[in-house]
Amino acid sequence: MGACTSKPPNKPNPYSPKDSLEILPPPETPNPQKDNNEVKKSPFFPFYSPSPARYFLSKKSPARQSSGSKSGNSTPARLFKRPFPPPSPAKHIKALLLRRHGSVKPNAAAIPEGEETEGANLDKNFGFSKQFKNKYEVGDEVGRGHFGYTCSAIAKKGELKGQQVAVKVIPKAKMTTAISIEDVRREVKILRALTGHNNLIQFYDAFEDQDNVYVVMDGGKYSEEDAKAVMVQILNVVAFCHLQGVVHRDLKPENFLFSSKDESSQLKAIDFGLSDFVRPDEKLNDIVGSAYYVAPEVLHRSYGTEADVWSIGVIAYILLCGSRPFWARTESGIFRAVLKADPTYDEAPWPTLTSEAKDFVKRLLNKDPRKRMSAAQALCHPWMRNHSGAKLPLDVLIFRLMKAYMRSSSLRKAALRAMSKTLTADELFYLKEQFALLEPDKNGSIKLENIRSALMKYGTDAMKESRIPDFLASLNALQYRKMDFEEFCAAASSVHQLEALERWEQHARCAYEVFEKDGNRAIMIEELASELGLGPSVPVHAVLHDWIRHTDGKLSFLGFVKLLHGPSTRGLAKAQ
């Protein structure tokens, strides 16, 4: 068996231009002056970052309407009068880019970099010094944005002689409107006025020539340790919210602010206007969030707390390399990139970053939410584990996994126990921490009462709204028996997350060898069908034929792997 490379089937693009939404109120008339005032620097990024889709959802949005009727598969307390295309999470982006770059039309395809046409009769002289190449020797590119790039450089003369600096290069060819020119002029003016603060990048000077504007700044980059300090604070608060059954749904840099101007100031999460309660076994369907940070499953209208983790992955990517992982110049292009494109990890500075940092971001930006780390798991990742600010909370994910385990057949439980015996030290670290938070008895076992006590200890009133305590009913079997750590590892391990690892095939093979020794036995197809709960309407011989080894009637490796995933009757019926 090779490593899993299969992809989910392509789905029709729900953001086709033919779609229309009559329920939404008409957009406001664009006001360039208003937009210019609202675009601000990110609260903790040392580079220009426009706020995408800050006010896209008004109180009149259908996502905010409520009713008395509820459906089991839809967002609670929401009523939609008829099926309609999902609302655009970032309608104002079109108007903003149209005014700034003069070449974006509504519903147009993404415009690749380098295809802008230079605006006629535009004055692109800023009055900056033209001595840049005489004063600085430019080195390698260290980061690329969507309207310029950053290089390292060494000062050849003056007070900074011999010192390494960072140079932001902004091509004049990309300045195709008067507003885009004013953006550059204002950015330099702001940097010059604010320079000297500990939490702001040090600005040295601005230069220009016929082709580019050069902004010379402090050469120190946002180190991995700096990124960790930010990420640990974000993950701590998000993991706490998820335990309470609250999903934020609009995580982005603009919604994290420093509490003071001190260099050691803590970040505070703000703006819970789009947040909602969600049960552990429930999915939301509102299209909310900011375009650059929205998760793929949100666009598919079926998501939970994992959508927040995706947004954190986007923030982590930006912190480490300075550019967004998904970009296009139209909202449809942004969504298409989120759904189908993969972030690049080949361009600078990724080759110079640690493998742990790269793996951390990749496991947050997995398009399959089942394979994505939870916020609590991210705090246990090797890249984050030893950071002093990491405080591991109880993870709501383990309750979902334990529920699935308790409802599994005896054969699947045996397969999961075999897999748990092959877990690595990194994977066991998270499970040991979670087990300890459940406060096992002196014999190292837990019962339902331990879980209930842990939830009361770490819970708030929000848990009642998200009905997490009610979720304990699915674990009612633990009221009459105990679960030791070995069984907990089998119950609380995610097969989908393990499948996302590069070593998955080796992992599965090792688990199968353990299963062969400890749990595999001759089994009839009819018995296997009974174990899986297949009804008489399912052609079990056609579906399960490859699951059983013909030589001795035991479960094959293919059958073992499928059994680990917990196949459903519906899924098996499609496998014919």
Side-chain angles (χ1 to χ4, degrees), residues 208-514:
E208 68 174 312
D209 57 25
Q210 184 177 352
D211 300 318
N212 303 305
V213 170
Y214 305 92
V215 182
V216 183
M217 300 169 288
D218 185 1
K221 67 177 183 179
Y222 214 92
S223 69
E224 287 191 29
E225 288 303 316
D226 294 330
K228 287 181 188 179
V230 172
M231 291 310 301
V232 72
Q233 295 182 71
I234 293 176
L235 288 168
N236 276 332
V237 66
V238 173
F240 172 77
C241 290
H242 289 179
L243 177 61
Q244 314 306 319
V246 173
V247 55
H248 188 281
R249 304 203 297 182
D250 195 23
L251 294 177
K252 55 185 177 181
E254 294 88 340
N255 284 340
F256 289 94
L257 301 179
F258 285 113
S259 57
S260 71
K261 294 183 179 181
D262 296 336
E263 191 169 355
S264 59
S265 175
Q266 290 187 335
L267 285 174
K268 302 291 184 181
I270 64 170
D271 195 355
F272 283 76
L274 299 179
S275 303
D276 206 347
F277 298 104
V278 58
R279 295 183 62 179
D281 55 351
E282 186 178 59
K283 297 296 182 184
L284 301 177
N285 59 24
D286 299 340
I287 303 279
V288 298
S290 297
Y292 297 108
Y293 305 92
V294 69
E297 63 269 23
V298 174
L299 300 177
H300 289 308
R301 305 185 65 138
S302 179
Y303 62 95
T305 55
E306 299 86 358
D308 279 349
V309 179
W310 173 276
S311 302
I312 295 174
V314 176
I315 295 173
Y317 187 99
I318 296 173
L319 279 173
L320 288 169
C321 76
S323 62
R324 298 184 182 95
F326 306 99
W327 168 258
R329 297 181 188 270
T330 63
E331 64 173 28
S332 60
I334 295 169
F335 300 147
R336 187 160 47 248
V338 169
L339 290 170
K340 297 184 177 181
D342 293 320
T344 177
Y345 299 96
D346 299 326
E347 298 178 357
W350 287 106
T352 64
L353 300 180
T354 62
S355 58
E356 289 83 3
K358 188 183 300 185
D359 182 72
F360 176 81
V361 177
K362 285 183 176 180
R363 294 181 66 181
L364 295 178
L365 290 180
N366 194 307
K367 293 186 187 297
D368 187 341
R370 300 171 302 175
K371 298 179 180 180
R372 203 175 299 153
M373 289 191 298
S374 67
Q377 284 174 324
L379 288 168
C380 287
H381 188 275
W383 189 62
M384 296 287 298
R385 186 181 303 163
N386 296 323
H387 194 279
S388 59
K391 298 179 181 179
L392 184 66
L394 194 63
D395 194 351
V396 70
L397 174 64
I398 67 171
F399 302 127
R400 296 208 307 261
L401 295 171
M402 289 176 69
K403 173 183 177 180
Y405 175 85
M406 300 297 290
R407 294 186 173 185
S408 295
S409 67
S410 58
L411 188 62
R412 181 171 185 260
K413 287 179 180 178
L416 289 170
R417 283 194 294 269
M419 185 196 68
S420 68
K421 294 179 180 179
T422 65
L423 296 176
T424 65
D426 286 341
E427 291 143 7
L428 286 172
F429 178 84
Y430 161 79
L431 293 171
K432 287 178 181 177
E433 293 293 316
Q434 291 297 315
F435 192 71
L437 290 172
L438 294 175
E439 298 183 356
D441 59 27
K442 60 182 180 180
N443 295 322
S445 300
I446 59 172
K447 295 181 66 175
L448 185 64
E449 188 58 36
N450 298 92
I451 299 175
R452 184 179 288 112
S453 298
L455 285 176
M456 291 179 62
K457 180 178 180 179
Y458 298 105
T460 66
D461 289 341
M463 274 190 178
K464 299 176 183 177
E465 294 289 339
S466 54
R467 299 171 63 185
I468 288 180
D470 297 346
F471 192 74
L472 291 178
S474 61
L475 305 177
N476 199 46
L478 288 178
Q479 184 174 355
Y480 307 104
R481 72 175 185 88
K482 296 182 177 181
M483 177 181 286
D484 59 18
F485 178 68
E486 182 177 339
E487 186 180 8
F488 175 80
C489 289
S493 296
S494 169
V495 178
H496 290 287
Q497 289 181 348
L498 292 172
E499 188 181 24
L501 304 178
E502 292 181 358
R503 60 181 181 273
W504 162 245
E505 182 178 356
Q506 179 184 0
H507 203 97
R509 290 284 180 185
C510 292
Y512 183 61
E513 290 177 5
V514 174

Side-chain angles (χ1 to χ4, degrees), residues 96-168:
L96 180 62
L97 292 179
L98 179 62
R99 290 193 298 275
R100 293 196 180 285
H101 302 286
S103 57
V104 180
K105 298 179 180 179
N107 297 321
I111 302 174
E113 281 192 309
E115 291 190 10
E116 299 92 337
T117 57
E118 188 170 350
N121 303 321
L122 290 176
D123 182 6
K124 300 184 181 181
N125 293 312
F126 293 85
F128 302 149
S129 171
K130 295 180 170 59
Q131 301 300 314
F132 173 74
K133 293 182 179 178
N134 292 333
K135 289 188 175 183
Y136 295 93
E137 181 178 344
V138 178
D140 296 332
E141 181 180 320
V142 296
R144 179 166 287 269
H146 304 291
F147 304 107
Y149 56 95
T150 302
C151 295
S152 63
I154 300 292
K156 296 190 292 185
K157 56 178 67 175
E159 295 181 359
L160 300 176
K161 183 177 180 180
Q163 182 173 330
Q164 183 173 3
V165 297
V167 179
K168 180 177 180 181

